[in-house]
PDB file of all heavy atoms in Angstrom:
ATOM      1  N   ARG A 186     -47.028  71.305-133.043  1.00  0.00           N
ATOM      2  CA  ARG A 186     -48.231  72.107-133.488  1.00  0.00           C
ATOM      3  C   ARG A 186     -47.835  73.501-133.881  1.00  0.00           C
ATOM      4  O   ARG A 186     -48.610  74.230-134.420  1.00  0.00           O
ATOM      5  CB  ARG A 186     -49.299  72.118-132.387  1.00  0.00           C
ATOM      6  CG  ARG A 186     -49.745  70.713-132.045  1.00  0.00           C
ATOM      7  CD  ARG A 186     -50.541  70.677-130.755  1.00  0.00           C
ATOM      8  NE  ARG A 186     -49.645  71.042-129.610  1.00  0.00           N
ATOM      9  CZ  ARG A 186     -50.065  71.063-128.366  1.00  0.00           C
ATOM     10  NH1 ARG A 186     -51.360  70.803-128.058  1.00  0.00           N
ATOM     11  NH2 ARG A 186     -49.256  71.394-127.402  1.00  0.00           N
ATOM     12  N   ALA A 347     -56.279  75.734-140.222  1.00  0.00           N
ATOM     13  CA  ALA A 347     -56.740  75.412-138.901  1.00  0.00           C
ATOM     14  C   ALA A 347     -56.676  76.627-137.960  1.00  0.00           C
ATOM     15  O   ALA A 347     -57.364  76.716-136.956  1.00  0.00           O
ATOM     16  CB  ALA A 347     -55.858  74.282-138.307  1.00  0.00           C
ATOM     17  N   LYS A 348     -55.734  77.539-138.284  1.00  0.00           N
ATOM     18  CA  LYS A 348     -55.659  78.764-137.483  1.00  0.00           C
ATOM     19  C   LYS A 348     -56.213  79.962-138.200  1.00  0.00           C
ATOM     20  O   LYS A 348     -55.897  81.128-137.827  1.00  0.00           O
ATOM     21  CB  LYS A 348     -54.127  79.049-137.131  1.00  0.00           C
ATOM     22  CG  LYS A 348     -53.416  77.899-136.495  1.00  0.00           C
ATOM     23  CD  LYS A 348     -53.864  77.718-135.040  1.00  0.00           C
ATOM     24  CE  LYS A 348     -53.119  76.582-134.361  1.00  0.00           C
ATOM     25  NZ  LYS A 348     -53.686  76.211-133.098  1.00  0.00           N
ATOM     26  N   TYR A 355     -49.346  75.136-137.008  1.00  0.00           N
ATOM     27  CA  TYR A 355     -49.573  74.083-137.950  1.00  0.00           C
ATOM     28  C   TYR A 355     -49.170  74.490-139.348  1.00  0.00           C
ATOM     29  O   TYR A 355     -49.725  74.044-140.404  1.00  0.00           O
ATOM     30  CB  TYR A 355     -51.007  73.607-138.009  1.00  0.00           C
ATOM     31  CG  TYR A 355     -51.414  72.775-136.864  1.00  0.00           C
ATOM     32  CD1 TYR A 355     -52.433  73.062-135.973  1.00  0.00           C
ATOM     33  CD2 TYR A 355     -50.716  71.481-136.602  1.00  0.00           C
ATOM     34  CE1 TYR A 355     -52.741  72.237-134.916  1.00  0.00           C
ATOM     35  CE2 TYR A 355     -51.076  70.695-135.528  1.00  0.00           C
ATOM     36  CZ  TYR A 355     -52.094  71.036-134.684  1.00  0.00           C
ATOM     37  OH  TYR A 355     -52.412  70.225-133.630  1.00  0.00           O
ATOM     38  N   PHE A 360     -56.845  71.389-142.556  1.00  0.00           N
ATOM     39  CA  PHE A 360     -57.054  69.974-142.227  1.00  0.00           C
ATOM     40  C   PHE A 360     -58.537  69.632-142.465  1.00  0.00           C
ATOM     41  O   PHE A 360     -59.284  70.502-142.894  1.00  0.00           O
ATOM     42  CB  PHE A 360     -56.687  69.683-140.831  1.00  0.00           C
ATOM     43  CG  PHE A 360     -55.266  69.820-140.346  1.00  0.00           C
ATOM     44  CD1 PHE A 360     -54.667  71.111-140.280  1.00  0.00           C
ATOM     45  CD2 PHE A 360     -54.533  68.761-140.004  1.00  0.00           C
ATOM     46  CE1 PHE A 360     -53.453  71.316-139.797  1.00  0.00           C
ATOM     47  CE2 PHE A 360     -53.185  68.955-139.584  1.00  0.00           C
ATOM     48  CZ  PHE A 360     -52.650  70.209-139.451  1.00  0.00           C
ATOM     49  N   TRP A 361     -58.964  68.523-141.885  1.00  0.00           N
ATOM     50  CA  TRP A 361     -60.406  68.214-141.904  1.00  0.00           C
ATOM     51  C   TRP A 361     -61.209  69.223-141.045  1.00  0.00           C
ATOM     52  O   TRP A 361     -62.444  69.303-141.119  1.00  0.00           O
ATOM     53  CB  TRP A 361     -60.660  66.769-141.377  1.00  0.00           C
ATOM     54  CG  TRP A 361     -60.401  66.536-139.889  1.00  0.00           C
ATOM     55  CD1 TRP A 361     -59.286  66.953-139.238  1.00  0.00           C
ATOM     56  CD2 TRP A 361     -61.267  66.034-138.947  1.00  0.00           C
ATOM     57  NE1 TRP A 361     -59.353  66.583-137.941  1.00  0.00           N
ATOM     58  CE2 TRP A 361     -60.604  66.007-137.704  1.00  0.00           C
ATOM     59  CE3 TRP A 361     -62.582  65.491-139.000  1.00  0.00           C
ATOM     60  CZ2 TRP A 361     -61.164  65.515-136.537  1.00  0.00           C
ATOM     61  CZ3 TRP A 361     -63.069  64.997-137.852  1.00  0.00           C
ATOM     62  CH2 TRP A 361     -62.386  65.028-136.617  1.00  0.00           C
ATOM     63  N   ASP A 362     -60.482  69.893-140.213  1.00  0.00           N
ATOM     64  CA  ASP A 362     -61.110  70.984-139.381  1.00  0.00           C
ATOM     65  C   ASP A 362     -62.054  71.807-140.173  1.00  0.00           C
ATOM     66  O   ASP A 362     -63.110  72.169-139.722  1.00  0.00           O
ATOM     67  CB  ASP A 362     -60.062  71.968-138.804  1.00  0.00           C
ATOM     68  CG  ASP A 362     -58.915  71.265-138.034  1.00  0.00           C
ATOM     69  OD1 ASP A 362     -58.543  70.149-138.414  1.00  0.00           O
ATOM     70  OD2 ASP A 362     -58.430  71.866-137.035  1.00  0.00           O
ATOM     71  N   PHE A 366     -65.716  71.068-138.920  1.00  0.00           N
ATOM     72  CA  PHE A 366     -66.075  72.011-137.801  1.00  0.00           C
ATOM     73  C   PHE A 366     -66.413  73.395-138.327  1.00  0.00           C
ATOM     74  O   PHE A 366     -67.307  74.017-137.736  1.00  0.00           O
ATOM     75  CB  PHE A 366     -64.865  72.083-136.827  1.00  0.00           C
ATOM     76  CG  PHE A 366     -64.629  70.757-136.215  1.00  0.00           C
ATOM     77  CD1 PHE A 366     -63.823  69.816-136.770  1.00  0.00           C
ATOM     78  CD2 PHE A 366     -65.269  70.403-134.930  1.00  0.00           C
ATOM     79  CE1 PHE A 366     -63.598  68.530-136.172  1.00  0.00           C
ATOM     80  CE2 PHE A 366     -65.078  69.182-134.360  1.00  0.00           C
ATOM     81  CZ  PHE A 366     -64.262  68.260-134.984  1.00  0.00           C
ATOM     82  N   TRP A 409     -54.150  65.245-146.011  1.00  0.00           N
ATOM     83  CA  TRP A 409     -54.546  65.380-144.603  1.00  0.00           C
ATOM     84  C   TRP A 409     -54.252  66.877-144.219  1.00  0.00           C
ATOM     85  O   TRP A 409     -55.043  67.449-143.533  1.00  0.00           O
ATOM     86  CB  TRP A 409     -53.785  64.455-143.720  1.00  0.00           C
ATOM     87  CG  TRP A 409     -53.972  64.631-142.319  1.00  0.00           C
ATOM     88  CD1 TRP A 409     -53.043  65.037-141.361  1.00  0.00           C
ATOM     89  CD2 TRP A 409     -55.227  64.528-141.608  1.00  0.00           C
ATOM     90  NE1 TRP A 409     -53.629  65.190-140.153  1.00  0.00           N
ATOM     91  CE2 TRP A 409     -55.005  64.918-140.240  1.00  0.00           C
ATOM     92  CE3 TRP A 409     -56.523  64.176-141.994  1.00  0.00           C
ATOM     93  CZ2 TRP A 409     -55.991  64.883-139.262  1.00  0.00           C
ATOM     94  CZ3 TRP A 409     -57.528  64.245-141.033  1.00  0.00           C
ATOM     95  CH2 TRP A 409     -57.254  64.612-139.717  1.00  0.00           C
ATOM     96  N   HIS A 429     -60.443  59.502-143.568  1.00  0.00           N
ATOM     97  CA  HIS A 429     -61.778  60.074-143.334  1.00  0.00           C
ATOM     98  C   HIS A 429     -61.940  61.462-143.882  1.00  0.00           C
ATOM     99  O   HIS A 429     -63.059  61.896-144.141  1.00  0.00           O
ATOM    100  CB  HIS A 429     -62.115  60.013-141.848  1.00  0.00           C
ATOM    101  CG  HIS A 429     -61.281  60.882-140.944  1.00  0.00           C
ATOM    102  ND1 HIS A 429     -61.574  62.221-140.769  1.00  0.00           N
ATOM    103  CD2 HIS A 429     -60.203  60.678-140.212  1.00  0.00           C
ATOM    104  CE1 HIS A 429     -60.690  62.732-139.942  1.00  0.00           C
ATOM    105  NE2 HIS A 429     -59.828  61.819-139.586  1.00  0.00           N
ATOM    106  N   PRO A 486     -60.592  59.871-136.507  1.00  0.00           N
ATOM    107  CA  PRO A 486     -60.291  61.107-135.905  1.00  0.00           C
ATOM    108  C   PRO A 486     -59.407  61.066-134.625  1.00  0.00           C
ATOM    109  O   PRO A 486     -58.619  61.943-134.387  1.00  0.00           O
ATOM    110  CB  PRO A 486     -61.709  61.644-135.541  1.00  0.00           C
ATOM    111  CG  PRO A 486     -62.637  61.025-136.512  1.00  0.00           C
ATOM    112  CD  PRO A 486     -62.080  59.683-136.725  1.00  0.00           C
ATOM    113  N   GLU A 488     -56.421  60.408-132.937  1.00  0.00           N
ATOM    114  CA  GLU A 488     -55.051  60.130-133.346  1.00  0.00           C
ATOM    115  C   GLU A 488     -54.215  59.373-132.350  1.00  0.00           C
ATOM    116  O   GLU A 488     -53.018  59.214-132.519  1.00  0.00           O
ATOM    117  CB  GLU A 488     -54.383  61.509-133.647  1.00  0.00           C
ATOM    118  CG  GLU A 488     -55.054  62.185-134.809  1.00  0.00           C
ATOM    119  CD  GLU A 488     -54.348  63.492-135.271  1.00  0.00           C
ATOM    120  OE1 GLU A 488     -53.499  63.902-134.534  1.00  0.00           O
ATOM    121  OE2 GLU A 488     -54.710  63.987-136.339  1.00  0.00           O
ATOM    122  N   MET A 577     -49.276  62.950-126.249  1.00  0.00           N
ATOM    123  CA  MET A 577     -48.323  62.730-127.380  1.00  0.00           C
ATOM    124  C   MET A 577     -47.028  63.416-127.223  1.00  0.00           C
ATOM    125  O   MET A 577     -46.094  63.075-127.858  1.00  0.00           O
ATOM    126  CB  MET A 577     -49.016  63.188-128.723  1.00  0.00           C
ATOM    127  CG  MET A 577     -48.990  64.689-128.976  1.00  0.00           C
ATOM    128  SD  MET A 577     -50.643  65.324-128.839  1.00  0.00           S
ATOM    129  CE  MET A 577     -50.408  67.003-129.281  1.00  0.00           C
ATOM    130  N   LYS A 592     -57.773  60.441-127.938  1.00  0.00           N
ATOM    131  CA  LYS A 592     -57.309  61.824-127.956  1.00  0.00           C
ATOM    132  C   LYS A 592     -58.473  62.817-128.069  1.00  0.00           C
ATOM    133  O   LYS A 592     -58.528  63.806-127.377  1.00  0.00           O
ATOM    134  CB  LYS A 592     -56.313  61.980-129.162  1.00  0.00           C
ATOM    135  CG  LYS A 592     -55.807  63.418-129.196  1.00  0.00           C
ATOM    136  CD  LYS A 592     -54.904  63.539-130.449  1.00  0.00           C
ATOM    137  CE  LYS A 592     -54.266  64.945-130.525  1.00  0.00           C
ATOM    138  NZ  LYS A 592     -53.618  65.176-131.798  1.00  0.00           N
ATOM    139  N   GLN A 593     -59.415  62.436-128.951  1.00  0.00           N
ATOM    140  CA  GLN A 593     -60.500  63.355-129.303  1.00  0.00           C
ATOM    141  C   GLN A 593     -61.685  62.592-129.796  1.00  0.00           C
ATOM    142  O   GLN A 593     -61.543  61.472-130.290  1.00  0.00           O
ATOM    143  CB  GLN A 593     -60.012  64.361-130.303  1.00  0.00           C
ATOM    144  CG  GLN A 593     -59.738  63.786-131.654  1.00  0.00           C
ATOM    145  CD  GLN A 593     -58.820  64.572-132.524  1.00  0.00           C
ATOM    146  OE1 GLN A 593     -57.628  64.505-132.434  1.00  0.00           O
ATOM    147  NE2 GLN A 593     -59.416  65.456-133.342  1.00  0.00           N
ATOM    148  N   ASP A 626     -56.948  65.753-125.747  1.00  0.00           N
ATOM    149  CA  ASP A 626     -55.733  66.397-126.029  1.00  0.00           C
ATOM    150  C   ASP A 626     -55.763  67.158-127.374  1.00  0.00           C
ATOM    151  O   ASP A 626     -54.702  67.581-127.902  1.00  0.00           O
ATOM    152  CB  ASP A 626     -54.588  65.266-126.124  1.00  0.00           C
ATOM    153  CG  ASP A 626     -54.077  64.909-124.752  1.00  0.00           C
ATOM    154  OD1 ASP A 626     -54.508  65.552-123.781  1.00  0.00           O
ATOM    155  OD2 ASP A 626     -53.245  63.952-124.640  1.00  0.00           O
ATOM    156  N   SER A 627     -56.919  67.279-127.885  1.00  0.00           N
ATOM    157  CA  SER A 627     -57.081  68.115-129.058  1.00  0.00           C
ATOM    158  C   SER A 627     -58.250  69.101-128.763  1.00  0.00           C
ATOM    159  O   SER A 627     -59.238  68.728-128.076  1.00  0.00           O
ATOM    160  CB  SER A 627     -57.453  67.266-130.292  1.00  0.00           C
ATOM    161  OG  SER A 627     -58.068  68.095-131.261  1.00  0.00           O
ATOM    162  N   SER A 628     -58.094  70.319-129.302  1.00  0.00           N
ATOM    163  CA  SER A 628     -59.164  71.325-129.097  1.00  0.00           C
ATOM    164  C   SER A 628     -60.365  70.964-129.859  1.00  0.00           C
ATOM    165  O   SER A 628     -61.416  71.652-129.756  1.00  0.00           O
ATOM    166  CB  SER A 628     -58.612  72.686-129.417  1.00  0.00           C
ATOM    167  OG  SER A 628     -58.300  72.745-130.838  1.00  0.00           O
ATOM    168  N   LEU A 629     -60.345  69.942-130.707  1.00  0.00           N
ATOM    169  CA  LEU A 629     -61.494  69.598-131.495  1.00  0.00           C
ATOM    170  C   LEU A 629     -62.443  68.685-130.845  1.00  0.00           C
ATOM    171  O   LEU A 629     -63.469  68.257-131.383  1.00  0.00           O
ATOM    172  CB  LEU A 629     -61.034  68.874-132.814  1.00  0.00           C
ATOM    173  CG  LEU A 629     -60.608  69.739-134.034  1.00  0.00           C
ATOM    174  CD1 LEU A 629     -59.557  70.697-133.636  1.00  0.00           C
ATOM    175  CD2 LEU A 629     -60.248  68.885-135.192  1.00  0.00           C
ATOM    176  N   HIS A 671     -57.708  78.660-132.437  1.00  0.00           N
ATOM    177  CA  HIS A 671     -58.194  77.358-132.806  1.00  0.00           C
ATOM    178  C   HIS A 671     -59.489  77.454-133.518  1.00  0.00           C
ATOM    179  O   HIS A 671     -60.557  77.455-132.872  1.00  0.00           O
ATOM    180  CB  HIS A 671     -58.361  76.485-131.548  1.00  0.00           C
ATOM    181  CG  HIS A 671     -57.055  76.291-130.805  1.00  0.00           C
ATOM    182  ND1 HIS A 671     -56.566  77.235-129.926  1.00  0.00           N
ATOM    183  CD2 HIS A 671     -56.206  75.284-130.809  1.00  0.00           C
ATOM    184  CE1 HIS A 671     -55.402  76.758-129.333  1.00  0.00           C
ATOM    185  NE2 HIS A 671     -55.177  75.569-129.838  1.00  0.00           N
ATOM    186  N   ALA A 673     -61.358  75.637-135.374  1.00  0.00           N
ATOM    187  CA  ALA A 673     -62.372  74.496-135.237  1.00  0.00           C
ATOM    188  C   ALA A 673     -63.024  74.622-133.887  1.00  0.00           C
ATOM    189  O   ALA A 673     -64.230  74.337-133.777  1.00  0.00           O
ATOM    190  CB  ALA A 673     -61.670  73.187-135.383  1.00  0.00           C
TER     191      ALA A 673
HETATM  192  C1  BGC B   1     -55.953  67.074-134.138  1.00  0.00           C
HETATM  193  C2  BGC B   1     -56.448  66.963-135.552  1.00  0.00           C
HETATM  194  C3  BGC B   1     -56.585  68.279-136.132  1.00  0.00           C
HETATM  195  C4  BGC B   1     -55.258  69.079-136.025  1.00  0.00           C
HETATM  196  C5  BGC B   1     -55.371  70.541-136.498  1.00  0.00           C
HETATM  197  C6  BGC B   1     -54.653  67.815-134.154  1.00  0.00           C
HETATM  198  O1  BGC B   1     -54.181  67.983-132.859  1.00  0.00           O
HETATM  199  O2  BGC B   1     -55.765  65.832-133.558  1.00  0.00           O
HETATM  200  O3  BGC B   1     -57.698  66.321-135.565  1.00  0.00           O
HETATM  201  O4  BGC B   1     -57.003  68.234-137.455  1.00  0.00           O
HETATM  202  O5  BGC B   1     -54.860  69.105-134.686  1.00  0.00           O
HETATM  203  O6  BGC B   1     -56.287  71.255-135.767  1.00  0.00           O
END
Side-chain angles (χ1 to χ4, degrees):
R186 299 165 296 180
K348 307 288 180 189
Y355 283 121
F360 297 71
W361 71 308
D362 304 35
F366 296 87
W409 176 243
H429 67 83
E488 296 185 349
M577 78 250 184
K592 180 183 183 190
Q593 66 203 88
D626 278 353
S627 161
S628 65
L629 275 57
H671 297 82

